[in-house]
Amino acid sequence: MPVWWRSIPLLPAICLLALFFVGPIFWAFYGSFTNMALTGPHAQSVDFVGLDNYFRLAADPAFPLALWLTIVFVVTSAIIGQNVLGMVIAVLLLKASKGVAAVTRTIVVLTWILPELVAAFVTYAYFNKDGTFNQILAMVGIRGVDWLFNVPMLAIILGNTWRGTAFSMMVYQAALGGVSTDLTEAAMIDGANARQRYFRVVLPIIRGTVGTNTMLITLQTLAVFTLIWVVTAGGPLNASTTLPVLAYQQAFKFGDIGYGTAIAAVMLLVGAAFAVIYVRTLRPGRLSS
């Protein structure tokens, strides 16, 4: 049987992938080279402008700030926050009693299944000037501040970490559960303490899972929009404007679709850069301990 014949059952999946994934990517890059607009004369008559939108990005003071905030948001909220906290909870759940583990797992997962809009309202209610966090501080005699004005990115990072940690916890809990106890017991007999058993035995075994999980939550965090828009709307003074928020503002608030898609194209490139790093890390030769 020819090789191409065996690929026929995959055609529906390939067509759907091309329609809903590859198609929008090509449209985004095409739109970034035009003066496409939401309203006005360029909404009907679109002209090819070449690299003009990218030259505008290079001269726009809001763009390097948005790019930097996006990287900070991804690194702190996903690569560090969700990864580390998810791993810590997963390790603790393995040592906890069944009742404690069940209650903890339920509470953590509930935050993950919340719609992003609801999680955004909860984050806003917790960190605003008269919110829950400042009320807790007042109970112990500490004067709170307007977190969403003074440190908006910190509030957003903590909110996104709180919401997304459950995914990492479930992934790592499954991976840790698959580690043979014979290996850890052998290391214990050889005199390894708990820290040494984790870093020298357990972590190398689940290294592939760590890399895969990091890639997934990185790409997911890179596209976070609703949480940021509801909590701060990118403010104050662009202090929490990431690339998705900047693209939305330019494309739909100011009606400049071409410029907005140029920002989206850059965001795709940033995501591709993270993906390439993770794919190279996940190569079989690099996963050997």
Side-chain angles (χ1 to χ4, degrees):
M1 180 181 295
V3 176
W4 64 269
W5 181 261
R6 282 178 280 178
S7 302
I8 290 180
L10 298 177
L11 284 178
I14 294 173
C15 292
L16 289 174
L17 185 65
L19 179 63
F20 294 106
F21 182 72
V22 180
I25 290 178
F26 276 110
W27 185 91
F29 278 102
Y30 163 75
S32 69
F33 295 108
T34 68
N35 60 358
M36 190 182 305
L38 192 63
T39 59
H42 296 302
Q44 294 182 339
S45 178
V46 178
D47 298 322
F48 185 81
V49 297
L51 297 175
D52 286 358
N53 288 323
Y54 292 97
F55 291 143
R56 284 180 59 190
L57 277 179
D60 188 350
F63 173 70
L65 176 60
L67 180 60
W68 168 248
L69 291 177
T70 301
I71 295 174
V72 170
F73 179 57
V74 170
V75 171
T76 55
S77 177
I79 299 177
I80 298 176
Q82 296 179 38
N83 246 337
V84 174
L85 188 56
M87 179 68 78
V88 169
I89 296 176
V91 171
L92 292 178
L93 287 179
L94 289 179
K95 299 180 179 180
S97 63
K98 290 185 177 180
V100 173
V103 172
T104 304
R105 190 182 303 111
T106 302
I107 294 174
V108 175
V109 171
L110 281 176
T111 65
W112 182 57
I113 64 176
L114 283 176
E116 189 175 357
L117 181 62
V118 177
F121 279 122
V122 172
T123 303
Y124 179 83
Y126 191 80
F127 285 109
N128 76 75
K129 187 176 181 180
D130 300 317
T132 307
F133 188 48
N134 279 345
Q135 293 181 14
I136 294 174
L137 293 178
M139 293 174 61
V140 294
I142 300 176
R143 182 179 179 182
V145 298
D146 191 346
W147 301 97
L148 301 182
F149 182 82
N150 294 320
V151 283
M153 280 305 299
L154 177 60
I156 292 170
I157 288 169
L158 293 176
N160 189 66
T161 302
W162 160 73
R163 181 177 182 267
T165 296
F167 179 80
S168 296
M169 179 204 72
M170 292 186 292
V171 170
Y172 291 144
Q173 192 174 13
L176 292 171
V179 177
S180 174
T181 55
D182 294 339
L183 297 175
T184 55
E185 289 174 357
M188 186 185 304
I189 294 174
D190 289 338
N193 55 36
R195 180 178 177 276
Q196 292 171 330
R197 293 196 301 271
Y198 175 77
F199 284 101
R200 297 185 181 182
V201 179
V202 176
L203 196 57
I205 294 175
I206 65 171
R207 183 179 174 185
T209 302
V210 173
T212 302
N213 177 73
T214 304
M215 179 175 66
L216 293 175
I217 62 176
T218 294
L219 298 179
Q220 181 184 25
T221 302
L222 182 64
V224 169
F225 167 78
T226 303
L227 177 69
I228 301 174
W229 186 256
V230 172
V231 175
T232 65
L237 299 176
N238 293 329
S240 58
T241 297
T242 58
L243 288 179
V245 175
L246 184 63
Y248 172 84
Q249 289 175 334
Q250 296 296 330
F252 298 104
K253 187 175 181 180
F254 303 121
D256 196 342
I257 300 294
Y259 191 50
T261 52
I263 300 171
V266 173
M267 190 170 64
L268 286 172
L269 295 177
V270 173
F274 277 113
V276 168
I277 294 172
Y278 293 140
V279 168
R280 289 177 64 87
T281 304
L282 290 170
R283 285 188 306 179
R286 299 211 171 201
L287 295 180
S288 58
S289 56

